[in-house]
Amino acid sequence: MTHENHHHAMTDGGSGAGYDGRAAADRMIERVRRTADEVGERFPLYADPATGVWTTTRRGSWTGGFWAGLLRLTAARTGDPADRARATATTRRLRERAADDTDTRGMTFWYGAARGTLPGEPAEAAETAETVREGAAALAAARRPDGSGGEYIPLGSALGHGERGTTTLGVDAAAAVISLLARAGRTHGEPGWEKLAEAHATAVLTHCVTPDGTVLATARPGDPAPAGPAHPGWPRGHAWGMAALTTAARSLRSPAPVFLEAARRTTDVWLERTGGTVPPWSFDDPTGPRDTSAGAIAAETMLRLADTLDGPDAVRYRRAAHRLIARLVEDHLGRPGPAEGAPPAGALRDGCYDMATGTAVAHELIWGDYFLLAALLRPAPTG
Ligand code: GLY
């Protein structure tokens, strides 16, 4: 990446979208530091939009990697030894998660350990590499046949999925699963993991992406029984699918053109359905609560997709990304000096975690923060 690209990424990509990316990133980083002081050794999951107080988990649920990832983005940006120490300590606490039977180990070990590098952490680098190896090895061991000659990593039985999770393919963690297995396979000399990354990406493309570019959040490969509700109207699932296909196009050696075409197709459907703005929690409820976290995943993904392309298409997706980031920053990111009852500075509010159970439907979500900060700081993280 050239200096010029970096400069543009920090403003608005030259798109005229009109936001100050540097100031927004700085605000978010201050929020990350305050959150770290507040949560101690626990993992933040979602925060009250008015008070900014976090609901936390002890082990990180499916989102521990996003918290470690936010600390890693912060440390890489500031170079501050205290930020680095917190990031490495949090990555270390993820290690025990290798034993959990869940495809979200991909998220835990990709965003929380493998993605990006922390300058000046020679002592910790080997430990982080070993964490990545353990996470990838455990994830790879969960592989199963998809019934048509391929293989995939199922949701797994943890996180409440039970037996059914062991034969279900989910799109949410797929980008991370593919990235982690491809990267760790290359770094640790395990070509079988790279092949598995490709097989998983192929399974997602085969079972979770329709010819018209709709993403199905889950599928049951090789199961003749009906798939059940797959949430084709769920914008966040659609964004996770775009991320998976874009990652496949960027990080697999072959057959990348198939994935690139599908990444573009699903992204075009996203832009059509959302009009390029922050989506509602469901495509079927256009005036319902927004889900900024879906917008942040899509925006960061479109920047990565643009970087994979040349010419007018690269410009088109990059502009769409910056327009969406502008909306997130201008309309949903807390500003300094808030009035009473206003969200805290640097908090991305208006995320919708789970409408079905009424959980955190208008809140700051840790993964929404992660993807917005990653987008604002691009090209710092790779993959
Ligand atoms: N299960 C991941 C999500 O809610 O997006």
Side-chain angles (χ1 to χ4, degrees), residues 103 139-147 149-156 164-170 177 181 196-204 207 219-223:
D103 66 341
L139 191 64
R143 70 212 293 164
R144 61 171 297 129
D146 79 344
E151 283 186 311
Y152 71 105
I153 308 290
L155 292 182
R164 193 176 170 84
T166 65
T167 53
T168 304
L169 170 64
V177 166
L181 292 174
L196 184 56
E198 189 179 319
H200 191 71
T202 302
V204 167
H207 302 287
R220 319 253 356 249
D223 182 350

Side-chain angles (χ1 to χ4, degrees), residues 62 107 172 234 236 240 353 367:
W62 59 278
M107 290 165 155
D172 305 10
W234 189 39
R236 191 158 77 242
W240 287 130
Y353 183 4
W367 64 95

Side-chain angles (χ1 to χ4, degrees), residues 31-103:
R31 170 81 177 142
V32 168
R33 285 170 155 172
R34 278 195 304 274
T35 298
D37 290 340
E38 189 183 316
V39 301
E41 299 219 329
R42 292 181 66 89
F43 289 86
L45 180 57
Y46 54 81
D48 184 284
T51 63
V53 173
W54 287 94
T55 294
T56 60
T57 64
R58 186 173 64 82
R59 300 175 72 239
S61 184
W62 59 278
T63 59
F66 295 113
W67 175 231
L70 272 167
L71 292 167
R72 292 171 66 81
L73 288 173
T74 295
R77 169 107 164 110
T78 67
D80 185 321
D83 289 331
R84 203 171 64 229
R86 280 207 277 231
T88 52
T90 306
T91 294
R92 187 173 302 134
R93 291 208 308 280
L94 297 175
R95 280 181 94 154
E96 67 173 90
R97 305 306 302 273
D100 297 354
D101 178 25
T102 166
D103 66 341

